[in-house]
Amino acid sequence: MPSFKRIPDAGNLTGKVALVRVDFNVPMENGLVTDDTRLRAAVDTVQSLRAAGAKVALLAHFGRPKGERIAEMSLAPIAGAFSKVLGANVSFIADCKGDHVKTAIADLDPAGVILLENTRLCKGEEKGDMELAKEIAALGDLYVNDAFSAAHRRHVSTAVLAELLPAYAGMTMEAELDALDKALGAPERPVMAIVGGAKVSSKIDLLKNLVSKVDMLAIGGGMANTFLAADGVNVGKSLCEHDLAATVREIQAAAKASGCEILLPKDVVVAKEFKANAENRTCGLGDIGADDMVLDAGAATITSLTQALSRAKTVIWNGPLGAFELTPFDTATVKVAEAAAKLAKDGALVAVAGGGDTVAALNHAGVAGDFTFISTAGGAFLEWMEGKELPGVEALLQ
Ligand code: AMP
């Protein structure tokens, strides 16, 4: 596991001010937070800093105001919501730099918490501007990054502050990095990756990185159609990127060179309409009709993926195996997720998942709680799966 400093390394923080980058980009309706998962994720870090004696100034973005003051993108309503989740008063100041902010922090009670305004309202935040970074850094004594989900950006609040202040990983960041390391950094082998979803074109880098790292790569969903078509299977009217045949062959060659076995569907569920409960049938790969759409993997594929999972010690999953929003085309996703969750619950498998629709698909399967770790980080999770360096994580490395 790459080494970075954690909050206990900071020692006694009495009277110090911790600038803490959190992810408070929560869904809201009519001024109310509709899902407080991200607020809850920040609690441990904030409490451990307070317990060490620090005052906490929270930095976060909300939406994409692009440096303009837009009332709907103010973090003001989040202070009250986080206050409830934290069980302590959280004040708010409508700015994230300047002497008045410094005074507001100085006026906090010991171990007090203040939420600063949306960092993206400050011009320079998204450019990683050093002048802005110096102004924000002047507000605190140390920097803690607890927002893995924003770590794929080199913004002032997600990375540059780490160059100016002693920098630590928050507890949510630490848990995420730990889980990701177990999945791809230094995993127990064999490692299986399951990659599904709509298109190969959006996941080329991800597939190329995975074939060099994992022992088995199962491809499902619309992406599998592109692979099957490149192998000469007639996929009828299915979602398929026929122009990516050369890319598919490149990925297959890279997999062969690094000893990664690619698992494609052996049988499929086809329908003539893309809608829930459309009339459907399961068929072999040679039986797909010219007006059929492949919407899910078939029973034989589910069995073979479940068997592959039982040979694996680690699985990393991104993307559904079929059009999971439409019953019964959620079957392969649900059954394979159930199998992975059971193995993980029994301690036989490290099961890590994340990115895009994956969280929704596993929640739909009702098994998210049994996975070893589910990342809600979206873009950062995908870039990490692509093998890219994440500026926010790199900045924390010792
Ligand atoms: P992604 O965002 O790339 O992970 O893609 C997720 C989307 O892919 C979901 O909305 C699924 O309904 C869709 N999808 C998965 N398999 C298929 C398929 N065989 N045909 C059409 N859409 C699919």
Side-chain angles (χ1 to χ4, degrees), residues 196-199 202-203 221-222 225 239 274 294-295 319-320 322-325 357:
K199 291 183 168 179
S202 62
K203 294 187 185 170
N225 301 334
L239 175 64
F274 188 80
V294 173
L295 295 183
F324 79 100
E325 302 94 335
D357 275 340

Side-chain angles (χ1 to χ4, degrees), residues 180-191:
L180 300 189
D181 193 58
K182 285 202 182 94
L184 273 191
E188 265 199 78
R189 291 187 179 272
V191 186

Side-chain angles (χ1 to χ4, degrees), residues 46-64:
V46 172
Q47 294 298 40
S48 71
L49 287 163
R50 297 177 73 215
K55 293 180 180 181
V56 176
L58 297 164
L59 299 165
H61 77 276
F62 191 66
R64 298 190 168 185

